[in-house]
């Protein structure tokens, strides 16, 4: 009995530790002649890689991070991963020398159907094989990069499931045929997903990545893993550094699970439960919806955020941050994604 009391006291005296967090960078184009909103120049990319090296970050492959989290193993204090969506040809042309210089592991998510239909715009299999020599892994971005949650007119649920699953599995089969068997990693086109799509991917062994921001931890749902955009205004290292050092909330659950809200739901809310608030002061948490600063309402380990102003049609997200008490200069970061449809049930690209 005395031993048990001593053990409890010992465990209680150990400070609560933040979960191991991985900041995943998301890129698209590399170049100065492509749309700035999805582009980073080769000079900016090299500056990002140099910063990671100078600040003693460990850059790991998605597969190794996944294995560590699944095995209950830790990741280094400062860990990052690198992802590039779409497989544009300028990634090879402008990025090759940077990849050679740093030899960091990174993942390129490709669309095999688009590679065939617009071969002048996208990398070919030979170029992807060459990039594999310098750290590249090749992931699945669907066959044709369309809005995967959209149903055709009068399309049944079963027909939609069969169509979507064929699109994903056909793309994976072609990737594996040309490059050898790759880890089952999927990036949602436009970052759009729903619960049915998540379950379908999980049933076929995929982990999946969105476009809402925040670090990846062992608490993150395996089919809605967040990433930080690192192009355009987000390429600025002054702000990107804060995101790279951010911590993931120890998430228990988040509601609603669906991104999509109806067109008449103009001010939705969301609710998040965490395992602990020991390493931050809940009253210091702020949430940001566009230009609005929102104050979450806390009840125990659960907080609720209510939007005040109209959510725009299309994709958006609410980011919540709060400073860590034990790690000076680091912030916990949570992002909740939304899609508000128009009256036809659609939204822009």
């Amino acid at each position: 009995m005395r031993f048990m009391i001593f053990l409890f006291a010992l465990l209680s005296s150990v400070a609560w530790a933040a979960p191991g967090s991985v900041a995943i960078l998301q890129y698209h184009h590399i170049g100065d002649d492509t749309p700035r909103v999805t582009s980073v120049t080769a000079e900016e990319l090299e500056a990002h890689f140099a910063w990671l090296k100078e600040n003693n970050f460990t850059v790991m492959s998605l597969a190794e991070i996944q294995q560590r989290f699944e095995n209950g193993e830790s990741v280094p204090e400062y860990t990052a991963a690198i992802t590039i969506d779409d497989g544009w040809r300028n990634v090879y042309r402008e990025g090759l020398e940077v990849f050679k210089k740093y030899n960091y592991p990174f993942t390129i998510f490709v669309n095999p159907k688009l590679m065939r239909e617009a071969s002048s715009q996208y990398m070919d299999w030979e170029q992807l094989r060459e990039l594999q020599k310098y750290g590249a892994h090749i992931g699945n971005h669907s066959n044709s990069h369309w809005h995967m949650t959209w149903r055709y007119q009068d399309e049944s649920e079963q027909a939609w499931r069969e169509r979507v699953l064929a699109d994903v599995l056909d793309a994976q089969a072609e990737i594996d045929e040309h490059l050898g068997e790759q880890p089952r990693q999927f990036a949602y086109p436009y970052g759009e997903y729903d619960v049915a799509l998540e379950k379908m991917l999980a049933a076929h062994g995929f982990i999946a990545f969105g476009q809402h921001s925040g670090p990846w931890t062992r608490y993150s749902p395996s089919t809605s893993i967040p990433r930080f955009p690192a192009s355009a205004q987000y390429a600025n290292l002054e702000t990107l550094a804060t995101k790279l050092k951010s911590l993931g909330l120890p998430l228990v659950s988040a509601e609603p699970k669906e991104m999509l809200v109806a067109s008449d739901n103009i001010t939705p809310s969301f609710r998040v439960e965490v395992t602990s608030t020991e390493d931050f002061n809940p009253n210091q948490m702020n949430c940001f919806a566009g230009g609005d600063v929102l104050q979450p309402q806390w009840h125990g380990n659960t907080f609720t955020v209510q939007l005040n102003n109209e959510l725009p049609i299309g994709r958006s997200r609410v980011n919540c941050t709060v400073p860590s008490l034990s790690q000076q200069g680091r912030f916990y970061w949570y992002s909740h994604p939304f899609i508000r449809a128009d009256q036809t049930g659609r939204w822009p690209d």
Side-chain angles (χ1 to χ4, degrees), residues 62-84:
L62 300 180
E64 183 177 357
I65 298 163
Q66 177 188 2
Q67 184 176 33
R68 289 202 183 197
F69 285 154
E70 289 178 351
N71 292 342
E73 300 172 0
S74 63
V75 294
E77 180 181 10
Y78 291 114
T79 302
I82 298 163
T83 63
I84 304 171

Side-chain angles (χ1 to χ4, degrees), residues 14-275:
V14 177
W16 183 84
S21 298
V22 179
I24 307 176
L25 298 177
Q26 180 201 16
Y27 300 97
H28 290 87
H29 291 283
I30 302 176
D32 55 11
D33 58 351
T34 47
R36 180 59 180 164
V37 68
T38 54
S39 298
V40 63
T41 66
E43 291 75 19
E44 287 172 325
L45 182 69
E46 178 158 12
H48 292 176
F49 284 17
W51 187 94
L52 291 170
K53 184 175 182 179
E54 291 164 4
N55 287 273
N56 299 314
F57 267 72
T58 301
V59 179
M60 299 174 66
S61 70
L62 300 180
E64 183 177 357
I65 298 163
Q66 177 188 2
Q67 184 176 33
R68 289 202 183 197
F69 285 154
E70 289 178 351
N71 292 342
E73 300 172 0
S74 63
V75 294
E77 180 181 10
Y78 291 114
T79 302
I82 298 163
T83 63
I84 304 171
D85 289 7
D86 304 328
W88 297 104
R89 188 167 286 252
N90 54 42
V91 170
Y92 176 86
R93 184 179 66 244
E94 302 291 337
L96 179 59
E97 294 307 314
V98 180
F99 301 139
K100 283 183 177 181
K101 179 177 179 179
Y102 289 90
N103 204 30
Y104 282 150
F106 63 103
T107 298
I108 304 172
F109 292 103
V110 302
N111 309 94
K113 184 172 183 286
L114 295 185
M115 290 170 62
R116 294 193 300 273
E117 295 178 349
S119 57
S120 64
Q121 298 181 49
Y122 295 93
M123 285 183 280
D124 57 32
W125 299 112
E126 183 177 350
Q127 289 168 328
L128 290 170
R129 276 192 290 271
E130 183 175 358
L131 288 180
Q132 284 182 302
K133 300 175 184 177
Y134 305 108
H137 301 259
I138 312 304
N140 190 332
H141 202 28
S142 82
N143 228 346
S144 49
H145 203 290
W146 49 284
H147 298 271
M148 297 188 73
T149 61
W150 287 7
R151 272 66 162 175
Y152 294 151
Q153 187 174 2
D154 300 324
E155 184 177 36
S156 68
E157 177 78 11
Q158 182 60 31
W160 171 81
R161 287 177 177 274
E162 292 175 357
R163 177 169 61 85
V164 168
L165 184 58
D167 185 89
V168 172
L169 295 183
D170 288 351
Q172 191 66 43
E174 190 165 353
I175 292 169
D176 291 346
E177 177 187 353
H178 286 280
L179 301 173
E181 186 172 352
Q182 300 293 301
R184 290 209 163 192
Q185 299 163 351
F186 189 86
Y188 298 108
Y190 308 107
E192 298 171 0
Y193 58 89
D194 60 18
V195 172
L197 184 54
E198 288 187 86
K199 290 180 178 178
M200 193 182 309
L201 290 169
H204 288 270
F206 286 91
I207 61 171
F209 299 83
Q211 293 188 22
H212 53 301
S213 56
W216 180 15
T217 78
R218 60 186 174 88
Y219 294 97
S220 303
S222 64
T223 50
S224 56
I225 299 168
R227 297 183 288 170
F228 285 109
S231 301
Q233 70 269 30
Y234 302 115
N236 184 336
L237 270 170
E238 289 186 10
T239 54
L240 189 59
T242 299
K243 298 170 185 177
L244 282 162
K245 293 181 178 180
S246 64
L247 301 164
L249 283 177
L251 194 69
V252 174
S253 64
E255 301 287 345
K257 295 185 182 300
E258 299 286 7
M259 292 179 67
L260 182 62
V261 299
S263 61
D264 59 356
N265 188 3
I266 63 174
T267 56
S269 63
F270 63 92
R271 182 184 64 82
V272 177
E273 182 183 358
V274 297
T275 63

Side-chain angles (χ1 to χ4, degrees), residues 249-256 269-275 285 287 296-305 318 320 334-336:
L249 283 177
L251 194 69
V252 174
S253 64
E255 301 287 345
S269 63
F270 63 92
R271 182 184 64 82
V272 177
E273 182 183 358
V274 297
T275 63
M285 177 178 282
C287 298
Q297 300 299 311
W298 282 88
H299 301 280
N301 287 350
T302 299
F303 68 90
T304 302
V305 177
V318 180
C320 299
Y334 172 78
S335 179
H336 198 91

